Amino acid sequence: MKTEFTGRASSYTKGRPPYPKGILELMRSLGADDQSRMADIGAGTGRLTRLLGELNAFITAVEPSADMLAECRHTCRDNQRVSYMEAPAEDTRLETGSVDFITVAQAFHWLDKDRCRTEFQRILKPGGRVLLIWNSMKGDDPFVEAYSNVLQDFTIKQTAGNASGDHLKAKREFFGSDIKIVQMDNAHTLDE
């Protein structure tokens, strides 16, 4: 993953949808506030990191790709409460018991689940939370169906976005029975 996005960070930022603001209310309902410490794992270009900044919490953007982390720094440049760490999810180098929340947006499929479970347990404070976040296309839309068919017809490699099967299996195995699924609407407008 460290080099998968080399030279592509700017394009990635332009093409990826934002995350719904409802995430902020969800996190507030879980106790997030201006004293919370968060680790945004696989922060990428900083789309979620920037949104989390609206909580006025202390955020560490953890990202293994130097190019993506540079884009994240640019995306979050106005937030002095964001710090940056070039590191993999499996070895964040964050202090033991130092974070209240771990977020992973669109990156769970990249992680070595066994090593991450150990690392997440190490860095989380007692009672800490892990939120896995995805933007998924709505399956009952004619445009999305046609678009998905084009992607399937021209797929050159399997990715999390075009994989089939039980998408929740890895999450259930990671968390055990302590998993809650929340869905939110989120529009993404594109031009030609």
Side-chain angles (χ1 to χ4, degrees):
M1 178 178 168
K2 187 173 174 92
T3 60
E4 182 80 18
F5 299 100
T6 300
R8 301 178 187 171
S10 179
S11 296
Y12 194 86
T13 298
K14 291 175 191 170
R16 282 293 185 149
Y19 294 99
K21 293 241 181 197
I23 290 170
L24 301 176
E25 282 310 309
L26 173 63
M27 294 192 73
R28 284 185 187 106
S29 76
L30 295 172
D33 61 25
D34 64 353
Q35 295 305 304
S36 296
R37 301 210 173 262
M38 301 179 180
D40 188 18
I41 306 292
T45 63
R47 284 210 178 246
L48 180 63
T49 313
R50 181 177 57 209
L51 178 63
L52 294 174
E54 293 183 32
L55 294 168
N56 202 31
F58 298 96
I59 304 164
T60 302
V62 180
E63 170 58 44
S65 165
D67 283 6
M68 294 291 262
L69 195 59
E71 190 73 21
C72 183
R73 285 178 195 274
H74 177 73
T75 300
C76 301
R77 66 190 172 277
D78 295 330
N79 189 334
Q80 301 304 309
R81 290 185 136 207
V82 177
S83 59
Y84 307 89
M85 184 165 298
E86 186 178 337
E90 299 82 1
D91 183 21
T92 64
R93 300 189 315 269
L94 294 171
E95 290 183 32
T96 298
S98 64
V99 298
D100 301 291
F101 292 91
I102 293 173
T103 57
V104 182
Q106 304 288 138
F108 186 70
H109 58 286
W110 292 105
L111 310 181
D112 177 317
K113 309 304 184 284
D114 291 333
R115 291 180 57 215
C116 273
R117 185 182 304 105
T118 300
E119 179 68 356
F120 289 6
Q121 289 171 341
R122 185 187 72 75
I123 66 175
L124 274 175
K125 293 178 181 177
R129 306 279 187 141
V130 178
L131 287 86
L132 305 180
I133 301 164
W134 278 270
N135 277 316
S136 299
M137 291 188 284
K138 208 171 188 181
D140 61 353
D141 180 90
F143 171 79
V144 170
E145 184 178 331
Y147 176 69
S148 296
N149 288 338
V150 169
L151 290 178
Q152 185 176 353
D153 289 347
F154 295 96
T155 295
I156 56 172
K157 77 175 190 178
Q158 183 98 352
T159 68
N162 63 26
S164 60
D166 184 354
H167 299 289
L168 290 175
K169 183 179 180 200
K171 291 95 178 163
R172 285 189 199 104
E173 289 171 354
F174 189 81
F175 290 103
S177 62
D178 192 15
I179 184 172
K180 180 179 179 183
I181 299 169
V182 177
Q183 295 183 349
M184 301 173 188
D185 286 332
N186 187 35
H188 184 208
T189 304
L190 299 170
D191 60 21
E192 242 182 280

